[in-house]
Amino acid sequence: MSTPHRLPRIAIAGIAIESSTFTPYLSGEADFEVRRGAEILDRYPFFAEPTASGAALRQAAEYVPVLHARALPGGVLRREAYDSWLAEILDGLRDAVAQQPLDGFFFDIHGAMSVQGLQDAEGHLITAIREVIGPDVLVGTAMDLHGNVSETLFDACDLMTCYRHAPHIDAWETRERGLRDLVEAATVSVAAGHPVRPAKALVHVPILLPGEKTSTRIEPATSLYGRIPALTERDGVTDVSCWIGFAWADQPRCKAAIVAFGDDAAAVEDAALELARELWAVRHDFVFVAPTGTFEDCLQEAVASDARPFWISDSGDNPGAGGADDTTYCLAGLLASAEIRRGDVSALMVSLVDEVSTVEAWRLGVGADGDFAIGGRIDAREPGPVQVRARVVALDESTPTGHAAVLQVLAVEDGDEAEAAGPSGASGSSAGAPRWVPTGLQVVVTARRSQFATADMFERLALSMTGPDVVVVKMGYLEPDQYAAAADWRLALTPGGVDQDLLRLGHEAIDRPMIPFDAEIPEPTAADVRRG
Ligand SMILES: [Zn+2]
């Protein structure tokens, strides 16, 4: 005789951000999209536009959505924002538990959040949540493969999974899989009348890789991630996941991790250790997705090339990975090019966040000239704010840039032409006042951190993705519209908060030995398997 089953009761909460601890930018409440209650469920496309399986999943549980906050990648999260969301999540869960016990909790996170004063932010958050929901509730999470799996996080979660593709084309598929596995485990537990936890295993692999080396479009990541489906088809294994980890935070938890879970403890441990050894075997084989070089070398190549437009990624300050979005290393480099100053080569720099310059451009209006100190307000590393005289050529206000402006950089007309333009004389006389003429360089400034990844963002400012000879963009790998527009492309290894050259960043708190900081790491063995 079995009693009629009730639906499992599953709470949902999380804070999702990827934070570089090497950028001076601090992320705050304004950077986040916060959802509360039922609107959290609207975030999941598999619920909103239900497939048959999504509709079934929607009906398979009683969901208790509490709070979800997500932001674009940025810097360390301000403690007051974290503390206030933490309190709200705990209050919401206390209320939920007081009404009726929970069977499951879905921890919807990225996994590379950093918070002021915390070395393991997600571990801190889930520990506090566990104290409220208790040890019997099954906890499932679905993460970005650039998140970190600390032992604290692993111990607190029962079912962990992450993306299997970079770029992350499977983000929603992964959350749907993670939620489905949680609901199924909670359903079994409800039927059994006690929590039925899967066996789980964690193996860390001490390697840190920059994101631009871990695209699953290229080897060895294609084959490494390609192994996962076969492992999950084994008897007793439900899921196997490979976290690359997050290289731009300086914390002991930052490293690659393999987690597996399922019904058969031995099979789960074997699968985790096997994939960890496969990652170890290719530890020296990861390469950048595009030809790389210093910015100077990339620009020289671009100027000399026949390929137009020639795109260059300013990868060290890529806001999509957490860069400040306002370093001026590339802007200063473009201004130093004689070909660009003369206008023989046209160049577009998109974009730098600079609210002061943007406001000034809006005050001046299209067609007006003004003096600007561009960039270097958040990340002031060399060369800092760049002084230019520029003409406002376009203005726009829309998301995600906020106010934005295109500035045509001007230069004093050179000697020969100045003489040709009229009676010259000693500088300083009114007749000899410098005449400012356009250079080949246009710069886009924005009020908010943003990335010009899509064609429509260029169009709003009447810019062409293919018009300029050289386009410098604060990105890592090019997104599809950019890739289609570029006749050629280099990944410039520029300085910044997400420097792709990890050795320049100055990590101190990470575990050692760690590739690439040390030449070699030991092969994972059964002794490295953490069980649960
Ligand atoms: Zn990622």
Side-chain angles (χ1 to χ4, degrees), residues 282-302:
V282 297
R283 66 200 176 283
H284 299 303
D285 298 347
F286 292 89
V287 292
F288 284 112
V289 294
T292 58
T294 63
F295 182 71
E296 292 75 8
D297 289 347
C298 293
L299 183 59
Q300 212 165 42
E301 245 186 296

Side-chain angles (χ1 to χ4, degrees), residues 180-315:
R180 172 171 295 110
D181 285 342
L182 174 64
V183 168
E184 283 176 5
T187 303
V188 170
S189 299
V190 168
H194 59 87
V196 181
R197 316 194 109 84
K200 59 177 179 172
L202 161 68
V203 186
H204 278 131
V205 182
I207 174 170
L208 272 180
L209 290 161
E212 306 335 297
K213 277 190 178 177
T214 55
S215 169
T216 55
R217 286 176 179 156
I218 58 167
E219 293 295 358
T222 309
S223 294
L224 182 70
Y225 280 87
R227 285 280 297 133
I228 290 176
L231 293 172
T232 61
E233 277 164 24
R234 291 183 181 172
D235 285 347
V237 178
T238 306
D239 199 297
V240 182
S241 295
C242 175
W243 282 257
I244 290 297
F246 190 62
W248 295 293
D250 186 17
Q251 297 156 354
R253 63 177 184 159
C254 297
K255 62 187 101 170
I258 311 291
V259 173
F261 66 85
D263 298 334
D264 181 330
V268 163
E269 288 169 25
D270 285 351
L273 187 55
E274 211 171 299
L275 194 60
R277 284 186 164 144
E278 290 190 21
L279 171 55
W280 182 83
V282 297
R283 66 200 176 283
H284 299 303
D285 298 347
F286 292 89
V287 292
F288 284 112
V289 294
T292 58
T294 63
F295 182 71
E296 292 75 8
D297 289 347
C298 293
L299 183 59
Q300 212 165 42
E301 245 186 296
V303 166
S305 174
D306 292 329
R308 294 288 181 253
F310 196 114
W311 282 58
I312 301 173
S313 292
D314 178 4
S315 67

Side-chain angles (χ1 to χ4, degrees), residues 29-41:
E29 218 169 319
D31 295 300
F32 281 77
E33 178 194 359
V34 183
R35 291 169 181 256
R36 293 176 169 89
E39 61 187 4
I40 294 172
L41 299 184

Side-chain angles (χ1 to χ4, degrees), residues 18 110 144-147 163 165-166 168 477:
E18 182 177 275
H110 176 286
D144 190 301
L145 61 83
H146 298 114
Y163 308 155
H165 293 271
H168 306 317
Y477 48 71

